[in-house]
Amino acid sequence: MRTAPTILHLDMDAFYASVEQASKPSLRGKAVVVGGLGPRGVVATASYEARVFGVHSAMPMGQARRLAPNAAYLVPRFSLYRSISERVMELLRALSPLVEPLSLDEAFVDLEAGGVAWDERSARLAGVKLRADIRAVTGLTGSVGLAASKMLAKIASEEAKPDGLVVIEPGTERAMLGPMPVRILPGVGPATGDHLRRAGITTVEEIVEAGEDELVRLLGQAHGHGLYAMALARDDRPVVAEREAKSVSVEDTYDVDIHDRTRVGLEVQRLAERCVRRLRGAGLSGRTIVLKVRRYDFSTLTRSETLRGPTDDPAVVREAAARLLDSVDTTGGVRLLGVGVSGLADYTQEDLFAQAAGEGAVAESPVEEPPVAPTEEQPSLAERRWPAGHDVRHAEFGHGWVQGSGLGRVTVRFETPTSEPGRVRTFRIDDPDLEAADPLPLVSAGEREPAAEAGSQADSSVPASLPKSRSGNGGGAATSRP
């Protein structure tokens, strides 16, 4: 295990919600919740202002609305989030060839491998500059943890939130980990945590006191040995450069269970088309077609078929998905459908249509689908055209975003990332002067140069134990986003 805190963990602060606040001046400093807005929708991200009310990721959206009825509820804009994430990842790769993304807003970086850090001082300077560069390029904030291992770096970034930097100095790890709850360790989820609690083990130090043999008896060989090593701050996992995608998939959850078999078939065909578009967008093809079906009773079935070679032909994927659906009983109703392609390659075998197509093959021409109930990705007519939070442009009033729609009307607030909070106007959903628009940059072109040097009052070191209060790290539950 290395002796300098040169493993960096970056976690963007409330990423989706922060992007929405940065792009919408009227929402800065206010509660914002991003996620699926249907009856079965869940929270993707909540701003720190919304977290004050108990709203958190993965919470059912209905529960979030009860906790924070006055928050702004917005439909995700994933293309915008991905584009901003790419800018952040570019900054990380400028630091080191060893960057391990965990999601759009989170990654590990081995600073020593990039030659930019070799001790505590150089690591801290790299972390400070990174945070300043992220703010300059994106207008957003990220929290940074620095330590000698991935586990500790992630713990440090969590303690740095929001908008801070924490360094765990070598030699202080055991004292810092001891009083922390067992759930802080990787691999300890709710079930394992409850199992340990029933054995009287609630803190990391109590794991060490129990001993390795007792951990193995409670949790089994692999998990017991691994957890004991983590409790002793032993984590030799390397930062692994970004891996290639193993599969491409899409899925929809339906507000109302689908019982009609024809409708189920049409949904599978639509998902297959979307999956192929995503596959081609990534410049990939694949050999294995996968169908996922979650039925009315929450039982989930997967079926797969492997072709002779990789394809990105929509007809091939549609026909394979249809054959897989034939083997699934959907009599009681379907609440989720998904289509995926795995066994990815960067080339295509062109002669597969003959293998996949047969009597009753789906025609290449588009099929006119009947009206369907709204879903998170297939909303009603008004919502499909005007999803809450998405960008629009009006011929007279310019750029704005949708505050809401329904009853044949759409309400728009006209403002941009660099303007003052704008005025609200309401239009008919078929107003010819109103159209969907692309998101505007969060930072104007003249402001995008990364900072050369920067400091932060939110930076701190952790000598022996992490503070119980995060106020010294720029903390606070209700923090305005930039």
Side-chain angles (χ1 to χ4, degrees):
M1 182 172 172
R2 66 185 70 198
T3 58
T6 54
I7 299 295
L8 180 148
H9 182 260
L10 170 70
D11 197 350
M12 298 296 288
D13 298 322
F15 183 51
Y16 299 168
S18 293
V19 170
E20 299 300 341
Q21 290 176 316
S23 67
K24 300 172 172 63
S26 59
L27 296 184
R28 294 171 191 171
K30 298 181 180 179
V32 173
V33 180
V34 180
L37 303 189
R40 290 177 178 166
V42 297
V43 175
T45 306
S47 70
Y48 287 96
E49 296 84 357
R51 296 180 192 186
V52 172
F53 299 100
V55 180
H56 58 77
S57 299
M59 172 181 286
M61 191 61 75
Q63 183 181 355
R65 288 185 184 275
R66 290 190 294 272
L67 291 172
N70 296 320
Y73 289 86
L74 307 177
V75 175
R77 296 186 290 169
F78 287 113
S79 60
L80 175 60
Y81 307 151
R82 279 192 290 270
S83 68
I84 296 171
S85 173
E86 288 168 3
R87 302 295 304 276
V88 173
M89 295 302 165
E90 286 173 6
L91 293 174
L92 298 184
R93 294 187 185 99
L95 292 175
S96 173
L98 292 184
V99 176
E100 183 178 343
L102 304 179
S103 62
L104 290 178
D105 61 338
E106 186 180 2
F108 287 109
V109 184
D110 188 332
L111 298 176
E112 187 174 354
V116 297
W118 48 91
D119 58 11
E120 189 272 338
R121 181 177 179 277
S122 57
R124 179 189 296 277
L125 289 174
V128 168
K129 183 176 184 300
L130 173 64
R131 294 179 59 241
D133 288 348
I134 288 172
R135 186 187 289 273
V137 169
T138 69
L140 303 174
T141 64
S143 295
V144 165
L146 289 159
S149 70
K150 290 168 69 173
M151 176 188 75
L152 294 170
K154 184 171 175 62
I155 291 172
S157 70
E158 188 64 30
E159 291 298 318
K161 281 187 166 294
D163 190 18
L165 182 151
V166 166
V167 178
I168 298 178
E169 298 175 356
T172 68
E173 298 93 345
R174 287 282 305 277
M176 177 271 295
L177 280 176
M180 288 188 158
V182 294
R183 289 288 302 276
I184 200 73
L185 299 178
V188 181
T192 301
D194 287 344
H195 194 52
L196 291 172
R197 180 180 53 77
R198 288 193 294 271
I201 299 172
T202 60
T203 67
V204 175
E205 184 58 37
E206 287 170 347
I207 289 178
V208 177
E209 292 172 354
E212 190 168 13
D213 291 343
E214 177 66 8
L215 264 292
V216 169
R217 186 187 70 80
L218 288 170
L219 304 175
Q221 285 281 341
H223 201 180
H225 288 305
L227 190 59
Y228 186 73
M230 292 282 190
L232 293 174
R234 298 173 185 165
D235 178 20
D236 296 326
R237 294 173 300 160
V239 176
V240 180
E242 185 172 9
R243 300 179 179 90
E244 295 183 357
K246 295 182 179 180
S247 65
V248 173
S249 63
V250 296
E251 63 182 42
D252 274 349
T253 301
Y254 303 98
D255 292 341
V256 178
D257 291 346
I258 304 175
H259 293 83
D260 181 71
R261 184 73 177 188
T262 302
R263 163 78 191 291
V264 173
L266 289 171
E267 288 294 309
V268 168
Q269 299 299 292
R270 183 177 61 82
L271 289 165
E273 293 277 1
R274 281 174 47 206
C275 183
V276 169
R277 287 198 297 271
R278 184 172 294 182
L279 193 71
R280 287 181 166 180
L284 298 170
S285 58
R287 295 185 61 216
T288 301
I289 315 303
V290 180
L291 175 71
K292 178 180 177 181
V293 180
R294 181 167 297 149
R295 298 187 291 191
Y296 70 99
D297 59 356
F298 286 89
S299 61
T300 302
L301 305 175
T302 57
R303 299 287 186 268
S304 64
E305 175 181 316
T306 299
L307 308 175
R308 288 199 303 259
T311 184
D312 65 353
D313 189 318
V316 173
V317 178
R318 286 199 309 261
E319 183 65 11
R323 285 197 300 274
L324 294 170
L325 180 61
D326 288 340
S327 66
V328 177
D329 179 11
T330 62
T331 305
V334 170
R335 61 186 290 118
L336 177 147
L337 291 167
V339 174
V341 177
S342 61
L344 300 181
D346 56 3
Y347 66 94
T348 302
Q349 186 167 314
E350 298 292 350
D351 63 351
L352 289 175
F353 184 76
Q355 169 187 316
E359 292 186 12
V362 178
E364 285 281 4
S365 57
V367 178
E368 184 175 349
E369 300 185 18
V372 298
T375 73
E376 289 181 29
E377 295 197 17
Q378 179 73 25
S380 64
L381 177 60
E383 292 171 334
R384 179 165 62 246
R385 192 175 176 191
W386 312 120
H390 283 224
D391 298 84
V392 295
R393 176 168 293 279
H394 191 273
E396 179 180 355
F397 302 109
H399 192 94
W401 57 277
V402 176
Q403 280 200 323
S405 63
L407 301 177
R409 300 282 178 177
V410 55
T411 300
V412 178
R413 184 181 289 274
F414 290 96
E415 60 186 7
T416 70
T418 57
S419 74
E420 296 295 321
R423 294 187 60 182
V424 175
R425 298 180 183 273
T426 299
F427 307 90
R428 299 192 316 272
I429 62 170
D430 57 354
D431 190 316
D433 290 336
L434 191 66
E435 61 182 4
D438 292 329
L440 297 177
L442 302 186
V443 178
S444 63
E447 299 176 302
R448 291 184 192 172
E449 291 300 319
E453 296 292 341
S456 172
Q457 295 179 347
D459 302 341
S460 64
S461 297
V462 180
S465 62
L466 292 172
K468 295 182 183 297
S469 169
R470 299 182 185 175
S471 58
N473 297 326
T479 304
S480 298
R481 300 291 102 207

